[in-house]
Amino acid sequence: MSTRPLLNRSLAGMGTTIFAEMSALAVATGSINLGQGFPDTDGPREIAEAAARAVLEGRGNQYPPGPGIPELRQAIAEHQSRFYGLAYDPDTEVLVTAGATEALAAALLALLEPGDEVIAFEPFYDSYAACIALAGAKRVPLTLRQPNFRPDLDELRALITPRTRLLLVNTPHNPTGTVLTPEELAAIAELAVEHDLLVITDEVYEHLVFAGAHHPLAALPGMRERTVSISSAGKTFSFTGWKVGWVTASAALVSAVRTAKQYLTYVSAGPFQYAVAEALRLPDSYYADFRADLHRKRDLLAAGLGAAGFGVHEPQGTYFITTDITPLGEEDGLEFCRALPERCGVVAIPNAVFYDDAEAGRSLVRFAFCKRISVIEEAVTRLHTLHAG
Ligand code: PMP
Ligand code: GLN
């Protein structure tokens, strides 16, 4: 056999995702899993019933249309108009994908060519690095640094070169919980327009903002025609396993992204698309209650982690808290997370894996709070025992 490595070299070293590794460790050790970001209670019963009904009534059991079923595209367009005043044509400017993950992959593969540079906030959500690499492009990190994890906009300006093709933005940001302010978004938009850059914005946590508000980048002047906005039902409706995501963008951008998407999955999740169309139309009270519930859980976990000795970075959005372990006398987040199940029966995610500059994230560890109150309380009790050594 050839000695050439089997794995495409652009994926070399990317092995198993940290989420899979840590969730497997949680199962193997019977630990509380505050690692991978998935809720431990499912979303609304009536939405689950809508999915079951669709299966039983034979809606979506055969290949749905490539861009997504019309009912869902219409509901996505209504959602963008209802929450942000953004008008998208459901027939030409909306694309349903297999989760935000496929939307990101399709957008990056469609819009990038070898040699292009992509500026993205570091720490990066893990699939960004993989898809940029698969497209043969180069990622250029704009590091969000302690203590506040804000983007340095002068640094952003300095990173732009003639090879920069696109900015990859994520707000609310996983894992830091940073929510971009209107001023930061305006500065990013101005740079994009000035340098004629495309923008992909990952807004899967759009309904989980606890301080300030979520502002979609596409709403800023000059941005609608250059922005691919991505979101997903997984986080907002607590059905992460359904993998229904979407893109909203100009017809030209959607057409490019759809061309790549059709060769990735072609289509996905027929019956779930009907259910997500219903979910998007839930009343405002659903969205408010969802946010309030996670807000309470954020405060509970933040207080508990603080009392257990962690340096806590309170997130403005998402359902993750990034902590610093140096106050505990620890330095290496990866080592810490690998040992944590054994030490006290809790699983967390080392932020270092989301950095090119591993040193910048070495002592940072992420905990998810999309879990039942009793589970968060038990995790906190266990983490307290770290004090004892
Ligand atoms: N982007 C970010 C920032 C995420 O945290 C996640 C995980 N939900 C995704 C994309 C992927 O979303 P999905 O599960 O819909 O593919
Ligand atoms: N988005 C989830 C997280 O950040 C995980 C998704 C995945 O497992 N790929 O924890």
Side-chain angles (χ1 to χ4, degrees), residues 324-340:
D324 194 325
I325 56 174
T326 41
L328 289 166
E330 303 277 347
E331 285 172 4
D332 189 307
L334 194 52
E335 253 173 43
F336 178 81
C337 288
R338 289 202 167 122
L340 199 58

Side-chain angles (χ1 to χ4, degrees), residues 68-213:
I69 62 163
E71 291 86 339
L72 177 54
R73 282 185 277 120
Q74 179 66 39
I76 292 165
E78 280 168 21
H79 172 277
Q80 296 307 87
S81 161
R82 168 180 165 194
F83 287 99
Y84 310 121
L86 284 167
Y88 286 98
D89 178 342
D91 291 331
T92 57
E93 298 186 314
V94 177
L95 174 68
V96 176
T97 56
T101 306
E102 192 204 21
L104 284 158
L108 291 164
L109 292 171
L111 302 175
L112 293 174
E113 291 188 357
D116 286 341
E117 293 179 1
V118 179
I119 301 176
F121 296 150
E122 179 185 58
F124 314 92
Y125 180 60
D126 66 346
S127 80
Y128 299 177
C131 293
I132 293 169
L134 282 172
K138 182 180 165 209
R139 61 181 185 271
V140 176
L142 175 66
T143 307
L144 306 180
R145 295 185 190 282
Q146 295 202 67
N148 297 321
F149 299 116
R150 308 301 326 168
D152 178 334
L153 298 163
D154 293 328
E155 196 180 330
L156 173 58
R157 175 178 288 280
L159 291 174
I160 297 172
T161 76
R163 287 177 303 284
T164 309
R165 169 70 161 165
L166 69 81
L167 306 178
L168 176 47
V169 175
N170 171 215
T171 183
H173 181 258
N174 178 9
T176 64
T178 292
V179 174
L180 296 181
T181 63
E183 294 73 28
E184 287 165 341
L185 290 165
I188 291 169
E190 271 169 36
L191 284 172
V193 172
E194 182 185 331
H195 295 274
D196 194 21
L197 305 176
L198 297 173
V199 176
I200 297 177
T201 176
D202 175 348
E203 303 185 357
V204 298
Y205 300 100
E206 61 186 316
H207 289 290
L208 283 177
V209 174
F210 312 117

Side-chain angles (χ1 to χ4, degrees), residues 17-20 23 35-38 101 125-127 174-175 204-205 235 240 243 319-320 349 354 366 368:
T17 81
I18 194 68
F19 306 115
S23 284
Q36 193 176 27
F38 63 89
T101 306
Y125 180 60
D126 66 346
S127 80
N174 178 9
V204 298
Y205 300 100
K235 307 292 165 171
T240 59
K243 299 297 291 188
Y319 44 47
F320 305 114
I349 298 286
F354 305 129
R366 189 194 84 174

